[in-house]
């Protein structure tokens, strides 16, 4: 029996394994990845298998109708970052979600076929498998096909997510509204699935089989499936055509690299804001002795929040798809820029977000703000992350999303999978606050072929040049603060990786000007001290799951840290 199988109930201590580890939100997805590793697959084989399995067992966010990012660090030190983010269709326009009066049409970028971006997940997973995997595509897709055909026994979380969703404004749970085939597939036309029932998806099984059968013919993007998908989207009033699908391409990008207290950070570049905002935050925090201030003390939370405030301010105004907008990456992650930010930080007083002014003298960052006026956007938190390390020491971090839970709440007809509403990650209209109040800049306006700004931050941390942590989380903008908090938990506060994942979360995103704190976590005394410094605090009970792995630097053992918040599972051996 393996060390991981012998370890105690998951949740309080990391799951130990000698050779390999897969951590994801769903037990069966993690098991699929670990089984592929045991069959001789490498970390990419396991990640691709886990990704397709998540599309079956966790259809709220796991997907083939969405997009995502994969960060691979091979044991030999080679690093690849794969962007398979969705793209706006060719006929997308800047004002496509506004009515004749210029007002945002409610839900137009959220629900239904007009909200869909050209999906990238199938292209991304297939590209990764063909370039870096060892096994045939069919071998890594077979477990997902089997799960779809034979069915999965629904966990409490999955049955619940098929039935309910959280209203983003009231934060109350409401019964989900699915349309057409999505209602038939996921809710049996209103006869809701119960925990423990078997959930079968024969149409999805056939779709996955078709993708697996002939990867060279590129069934999803150029074959008969592409034509069926385009026809279905057209029937639903969407914009994506067979040409949009045929032209979709994944991109290998250079990841963001930074350092924090001697550790190397490798994370997501644009079109994600994840890596830049993470590294900028950490650069600011490097000037403070957080360990001495104490984990979740008022002092350490204060400076962390002030660092988030400044980094998210830059994110809001400057970040978007780097294929369309010039992004001053080097300046944003320059340590001297962080030094200058620190000069504006008052240890005893919260900065009012309205009074945040970027330090001058940093080249591109000195462009007048009128060239990139901020405007609002909303980001959803229904995404999923998984981490893999194989016996050779190759590591993969994947974050993938449909944007909202179950995306646009529509399926590709009889193809049996959900389509994303990633178009909502663009900004529909300048200056109009929405339910989430997140502000974004001109750099993220809608344009044909452009990729919407993401916050996804699959991240790898090295210590002395060796693999140390594989990190990531869902959570929209909270992805960035979650990854930062977990990383600081280990590096600054001396927590083990599981304690760092479990630690109560807090988040600030510049606007709205408030600290979000996890209910049942931060002491009321600390909250009072933060309020006395001028911080506004909002407590929330729902926080998403970081699914992470660390390497014990002394003995090289793998430490899996699944997140109990949403039923994550580590499987290792
Ligand atoms: N849709 C969530 C993200 O990309 O950040």
């Amino acid at each position: 029996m393996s060390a991981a199988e012998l370890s105690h109930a998951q949740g309080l201590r990391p799951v130990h394994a000698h050779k390999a580890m897969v951590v994801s939100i769903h037990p069966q997805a993690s098991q699929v990845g670990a089984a592929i590793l045991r069959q001789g697959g490498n970390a990419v084989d396991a990640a691709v298998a886990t990704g397709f399995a998540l599309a079956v067992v966790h259809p709220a966010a796991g997907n083939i109708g969405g997009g995502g990012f994969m960060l691979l660090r091979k044991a030999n030190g080679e690093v690849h970052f794969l962007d398979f983010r969705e793209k706006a269709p060719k006929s997308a326009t800047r004002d496509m979600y506004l009515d004749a009066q210029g007002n945002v049409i409610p839900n137009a970028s959220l629900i239904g076929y007009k909200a869909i971006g050209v999906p990238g997940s199938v292209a991304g997973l297939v590209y990764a498998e063909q370039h870096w995997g060892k096994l045939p595509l069919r071998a890594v897709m077979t477990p997902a096909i089997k799960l779809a055909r034979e069915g999965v026994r629904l966990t409490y979380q999955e049955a619940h997510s098929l039935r309910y969703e959280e209203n983003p404004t009231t934060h109350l749970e409401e019964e989900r509204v699915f349309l057409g085939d999505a209602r038939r597939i996921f809710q049996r036309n209103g006869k809701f699935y119960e925990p423990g029932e078997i959930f079968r998806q024969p149409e999805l099984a056939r779709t996955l089989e078709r993708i697996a059968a002939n990867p060279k013919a590129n069934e999803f993007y150029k074959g008969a499936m592409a034509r069926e998908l385009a026809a279905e989207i057209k029937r639903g009033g969407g914009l994506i055509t067979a040409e949009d699908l045929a032209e979709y391409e994944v991109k290998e990008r250079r990841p963001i690299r930074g350092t924090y207290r001697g550790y190397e950070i490798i994370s997501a570049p644009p079109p994600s804001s994840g890596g830049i905002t993470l590294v900028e935050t950490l650069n600011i925090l490097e000037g403070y002795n957080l360990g001495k201030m104490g984990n979740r003390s008022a002092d350490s939370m204060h400076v962390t929040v002030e660092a988030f405030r400044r980094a998210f301010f830059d994110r809001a105004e400057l970040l978007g798809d780097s294929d369309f907008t010039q992004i001053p990456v080097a300046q944003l992650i320059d340590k001297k820029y962080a030094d200058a930010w620190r000069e504006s930080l008052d240890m005893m007083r919260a900065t009012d977000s309205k009074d945040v002014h970027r330090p001058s003298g940093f080249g591109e960052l000195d462009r007048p703000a009128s060239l990139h006026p901020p405007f609002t956007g909303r980001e959803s938190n229904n995404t999923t992350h998984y981490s893999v390390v194989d016996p050779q020491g190759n590591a993969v971090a994947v974050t993938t999303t449909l944007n909202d839970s179950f995306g646009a709440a529509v399926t590709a007809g009889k193809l049996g999978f959900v389509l994303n509403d990633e178009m909502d990650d663009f900004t529909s209209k300048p200056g109009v606050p929405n339910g989430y109040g997140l502000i974004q800049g001109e750099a993220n306006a809608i344009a044909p072929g452009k990729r919407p700004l993401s916050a996804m931050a699959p991240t790898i941390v090295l210590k002395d040049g060796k693999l140390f942590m594989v990190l990531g989380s869902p959570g929209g903008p909270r992805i960035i603060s979650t990854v930062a908090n977990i990383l600081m938990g280990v590096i600054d506060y001396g927590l083990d990786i599981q304690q760092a994942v479990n630690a109560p979360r807090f988040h600030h995103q510049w606007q709205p000007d408030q600290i979000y704190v996890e209910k049942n976590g931060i002491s009321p005394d600390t909250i009072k001290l933060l309020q006395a410094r001028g911080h506004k605090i909002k407590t929330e009970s729902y926080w998403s799951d970081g699914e992470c792995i660390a390497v014990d630097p002394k003995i090289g053992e793998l430490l899996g840290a699944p997140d109990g918040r949403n039923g994550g599972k580590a499987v290792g051996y």
Side-chain angles (χ1 to χ4, degrees):
M1 192 177 276
S2 72
E5 282 155 353
L6 284 169
S7 71
H8 296 289
Q10 297 192 3
L12 286 179
R13 311 298 306 171
V15 174
H16 292 249
H18 291 301
K19 290 187 175 164
M21 182 74 75
V22 181
V23 187
S24 83
I25 190 171
H26 199 285
Q28 278 173 291
S30 300
Q31 276 153 11
V32 162
I36 289 289
L37 290 170
R38 283 183 195 270
Q39 286 165 30
N42 65 18
V44 173
D45 294 308
V48 172
T50 304
F52 280 114
L54 282 166
V56 177
V57 300
H58 182 50
N63 66 81
I64 58 171
F69 302 120
M70 174 184 285
L71 175 59
L72 159 67
R73 181 183 183 269
K74 290 191 184 175
N76 66 6
E78 201 179 300
V79 172
H80 296 273
F81 185 88
L82 191 59
D83 167 0
F84 49 98
R85 182 78 165 156
E86 300 90 328
K87 289 172 73 170
K90 276 179 141 172
S91 57
T93 57
R94 186 187 169 89
D95 294 340
M96 63 187 278
Y97 298 116
L98 305 184
D99 65 17
Q101 285 69 47
N103 299 316
V104 176
I105 305 165
N107 291 330
S109 62
L110 288 170
I111 297 174
Y113 291 88
K114 275 210 173 68
I116 307 165
V118 183
S121 288
V122 173
L125 294 176
V126 171
Y127 181 98
E129 188 54 48
Q130 289 173 340
H131 285 75
W132 308 304
K134 277 164 62 180
L135 303 177
L137 183 65
R138 179 175 271 291
V140 295
M141 290 187 70
T142 295
I145 295 168
K146 197 163 177 301
L147 284 166
R149 189 185 304 112
E150 294 176 9
V152 289
R153 195 169 292 285
L154 287 170
T155 60
Y156 171 81
Q157 281 92 346
E158 292 304 332
H160 193 268
S161 84
L162 289 172
R163 181 162 187 164
Y164 298 107
E165 66 185 334
E166 188 186 315
N167 180 310
T169 311
T170 63
H171 295 286
L172 297 173
E173 282 194 331
E174 293 170 357
E175 250 170 31
R176 245 177 224 295
V177 180
F178 277 127
L179 308 171
D181 286 307
R183 183 169 150 81
R184 172 178 60 77
I185 296 168
F186 297 110
Q187 296 182 330
R188 292 183 299 200
N189 293 320
K191 189 174 174 303
F192 298 110
Y193 281 99
E194 301 290 337
E197 276 194 281
I198 302 289
F199 173 49
R200 292 187 182 84
Q201 299 170 80
E203 291 163 336
L204 178 58
R206 273 196 297 281
T207 295
L208 293 171
E209 261 169 358
R210 286 171 66 184
I211 295 168
N214 203 347
K216 288 215 176 75
N218 204 349
E219 174 71 1
F220 191 93
Y221 293 94
K222 294 189 173 156
M225 189 178 290
R227 292 189 288 280
E228 283 167 54
L229 177 52
E232 194 62 39
I233 292 173
K234 188 173 177 194
R235 204 173 5 259
L239 303 184
I240 294 170
T241 62
E243 202 185 345
D244 284 314
L245 289 163
E247 286 182 8
Y248 183 84
E249 52 178 4
V250 301
K251 297 224 164 172
E252 275 205 59
R253 299 193 187 270
R254 198 185 306 187
I256 298 297
R257 284 180 178 262
T259 59
Y260 183 60
R261 305 194 200 281
Y263 294 81
E264 268 181 76
I265 316 293
I266 311 171
S267 192
S272 182
S273 59
I276 293 174
T277 313
L278 174 69
V279 170
E280 188 179 340
T281 301
L282 295 174
N283 284 345
I284 298 172
L285 290 172
E286 214 170 26
Y288 302 95
N289 189 338
L290 295 182
K292 198 159 166 216
M293 289 175 178
N295 184 10
R296 276 40 176 191
S297 68
D299 279 350
S300 69
M301 284 184 68
H302 172 75
V303 291
T304 304
V305 159
E306 293 303 326
F308 285 147
R309 187 194 308 277
R310 286 156 177 78
F312 273 88
F313 166 80
D314 280 336
R315 173 198 192 274
E317 200 174 81
L318 298 171
L319 301 192
D321 182 350
S322 50
D323 291 344
F324 284 71
T325 309
Q326 209 191 331
I327 298 178
V329 179
Q331 286 100 334
L332 287 167
I333 60 171
D334 186 343
K335 299 265 187 203
K336 289 201 190 71
Y337 181 54
D339 296 343
W341 265 135
R342 271 196 301 278
E343 282 170 26
S344 67
L345 200 156
D346 181 338
M347 220 23 239
M348 294 316 293
R349 201 70 216 150
T351 306
D352 190 320
S353 282
K354 290 197 296 299
D355 298 332
V356 173
H357 298 293
R358 182 173 295 120
S360 59
F362 291 90
E364 271 286 286
L365 298 177
D366 284 346
R367 278 186 296 166
S370 59
L371 287 183
H372 35 73
F375 59 118
T376 58
R378 166 193 173 281
E379 273 184 83
S380 170
N381 56 14
N382 288 283
T383 296
T384 194
H385 175 85
Y386 52 101
S387 299
V388 182
V389 179
D390 71 17
Q392 287 68 46
N394 302 302
V396 177
V398 179
T399 314
T400 182
T401 188
L402 289 163
N403 193 31
D404 275 293
S405 178
F406 290 96
V410 292
T411 65
K414 302 281 182 284
L415 295 174
F417 64 90
V418 188
L419 290 156
N420 69 82
D421 64 332
E422 213 64 60
M423 290 299 286
D424 191 64
D425 268 352
F426 285 116
T427 308
S428 294
K429 186 185 177 187
V432 179
N434 61 30
Y436 290 89
L438 193 73
I439 294 178
Q440 300 182 49
E442 183 69 22
N444 193 33
I446 303 173
K450 191 171 173 182
R451 299 174 193 230
L453 184 63
S454 171
M456 294 188 285
T459 298
I460 287 178
V461 181
L462 309 180
K463 183 181 170 139
D464 303 326
K466 296 205 182 84
L467 182 68
F468 182 48
M469 290 193 278
V470 187
L471 307 174
S473 171
R478 292 184 199 189
I479 291 171
I480 299 164
S481 52
T482 296
V483 171
N485 274 321
I486 294 171
L487 190 150
M488 289 186 283
V490 174
I491 293 177
D492 289 295
Y493 303 120
L495 305 179
D496 69 39
I497 185 73
Q498 187 70 64
Q499 290 167 330
V501 163
N502 295 352
R505 304 259 169 82
F506 62 97
H507 169 78
H508 197 292
Q509 58 186 40
W510 173 55
Q511 295 284 10
D513 188 353
Q514 59 194 6
I515 312 178
Y516 299 88
V517 298
E518 187 167 20
K519 196 173 173 181
N520 193 22
I522 313 296
S523 115
D525 299 342
T526 306
I527 287 178
K528 273 191 210 134
L529 289 169
L530 288 167
Q531 285 167 331
R533 292 179 200 193
H535 292 286
K536 293 178 260 329
I537 313 273
K538 187 160 190 281
T539 305
E540 287 188 357
S541 47
Y542 176 79
W543 290 74
S544 50
D545 54 304
E547 307 291 351
C548 305
I549 301 174
V551 182
D552 182 325
K554 290 198 200 84
I555 55 172
E557 236 180 25
L558 296 171
L559 309 171
D563 196 330
R565 285 174 180 83
N566 284 306
K569 176 83 175 175
V571 180
Y573 62 94

